[in-house]
Structure formats: structure tokens, C-alpha cells
Amino acid sequence: MSIMEKITLKARLLPEGQPVSAKAFMAFGSRASVDQALSRLVKAGILSRPTRGVYVRPKRSDYVGEVPPAPLQIAQAIAAESGHTVQIHGAEAARRMGFSTQVPTRPVFYTSGPSRSFRLGAMEVSLKHVAPRKLALAGRPAGIALTALWYLGKEHVTTETIEHIHSRLAPEEFEALCAEVPAMPGWMHDAILEYMGRLQHA
């Protein structure tokens, strides 16, 4: 089976609408040969390329035509190319945790990789580099809660804040959040421990 045939087979087996980086095909040949094969598949309509280096087997709707992947999915595919981590931005995390109702106007994500921007249609999406400890538990509800706490900051994180988060998380997710206490800054660490102390004496 040729490189083109192998890549075509893998492309046809991808879940519709789930983006992957070019790295997902690198086992089949050199970078140049893989890039050439992917380019041919895009021209043939088997794959689409929402942004540079990211490919997706198109998901189509009878009403709107091709349904583009979510910006987070694209950001995750870009991060996977170089082994980096991605998490939603603090403003979005705070909204999901019920601390805000404001929807961010432009997609921004935190990453362990370098800061960069890319176009997704007419939309500009940004990846913002942050310290690794701010990305702990990325990809799970406890990670969203942690990101929200970092975003709210020292002046706004109290035991009541932790109580609210506790009410929003499944027990195992709240336990995962508490397990990160040793790596948290003092103000976050203290708020969680004070809240846990209150629970024990309730």
C-alpha cells in the first residue's frame, strides 16, 4: 500500500468533525510526502484544513453545509502537534463555573506552548502562554474550576467562592481540585483549606 493510500484510509476513518494535526499521519512517511498527500486530500474534499497544519474529515449538515470544528478543538490539535497542553481562558472558565454571565467576544485559550494566533474563517483565535501550574487538570471540570480561581484572583477568592465551586463539581472532581492544593498559591491554598475546615466542623 502506498503512502497516499495509507493516509487516505486513515483520513476516511477519522471521526467526522474531529480535527487532528499533521503529526497524526507522520508514521506513514516523510514530512514532505505526508504534506503532499494531505494537500491532495484537501483538494479532493476528503479532508478540509481549517487552519495551517490542522485537518478534519468534514462534518456536513443539510441546513448549513460543512460544520466547522469548535475553536477549542482546533487549539487542542495545534497543541498536540508539539505536545503542549491547552485549557480554556479564565473568563470562560469563570462563566462556566457560574461566576459570570458574560460570553467572551473572542476565543482565547491558555497553553503551555508559545503564544500565537490563528484564523478560523473570519474569526481570530489566540493561544496565550501561561505557567504549567495554571494548566493542572486541563481537560476536566476540576481544571476549569482551577482556571476560574486563577482568573478571579486573590481579592475575589473566599471560602464562599470555594463553596460555590464545590456545589458545581462532582465529588471526584472536587477531590481532584483539592489534591492540587500543594501547588497552589497561598491565597488559593488558604481559601480551600479554610472551607474544608468548615466542612469538618459543620
Side-chain angles (χ1 to χ4, degrees):
M1 189 180 290
S2 69
I3 291 174
M4 185 66 200
E5 289 171 334
K6 290 177 181 177
I7 291 177
T8 301
L9 177 60
K10 182 176 177 66
R12 291 187 182 279
L13 292 175
L14 291 174
E16 288 186 355
Q18 177 61 53
V20 297
S21 72
K23 184 179 180 180
F25 300 92
M26 286 303 153
F28 299 125
S30 67
R31 183 72 194 226
S33 61
V34 169
D35 284 346
Q36 183 180 45
L38 291 172
S39 179
R40 289 171 63 184
L41 290 176
V42 170
K43 289 179 181 178
I46 296 171
L47 293 177
S48 63
R49 187 175 70 174
T51 193
R52 188 170 66 86
V54 176
Y55 299 86
V56 61
R57 186 161 76 93
K59 181 178 182 179
R60 294 186 171 87
S61 163
D62 293 337
Y63 301 101
V64 298
E66 185 173 334
V67 180
L72 176 58
Q73 291 179 301
I74 301 294
Q76 289 169 332
I78 289 173
E81 178 79 15
S82 48
H84 295 134
T85 302
V86 166
Q87 176 62 293
I88 62 172
H89 186 270
E92 174 62 11
R95 186 187 71 81
R96 293 191 188 186
M97 283 289 109
F99 294 111
S100 168
T101 58
Q102 186 172 357
V103 178
T105 56
R106 184 165 64 90
V108 179
F109 303 98
Y110 294 148
T111 179
S112 57
S115 296
R116 59 167 292 186
S117 296
F118 61 91
R119 303 293 302 184
L120 187 56
M123 182 189 304
E124 182 179 22
V125 183
S126 295
L127 295 173
K128 180 181 178 182
H129 174 78
V130 295
R133 68 174 179 163
K134 292 187 177 183
L135 295 166
L137 305 171
R140 57 187 295 180
I144 295 175
L146 180 60
T147 300
L149 290 174
W150 277 107
Y151 178 76
L152 292 171
K154 182 178 181 179
E155 300 301 319
H156 300 284
V157 172
T158 64
T159 52
E160 286 71 26
T161 308
I162 307 303
E163 181 179 20
H164 175 82
I165 283 177
H166 191 186
S167 72
R168 306 275 298 203
L169 293 178
E172 62 274 15
E173 291 296 322
F174 188 70
E175 289 178 11
L177 176 65
C178 293
E180 289 296 317
V181 161
M184 294 176 181
W187 52 270
M188 197 185 295
H189 169 282
D190 292 349
I192 290 179
L193 290 189
E194 183 178 346
Y195 173 69
M196 296 303 292
R198 288 186 183 182
L199 286 183
Q200 292 172 0
H201 293 93

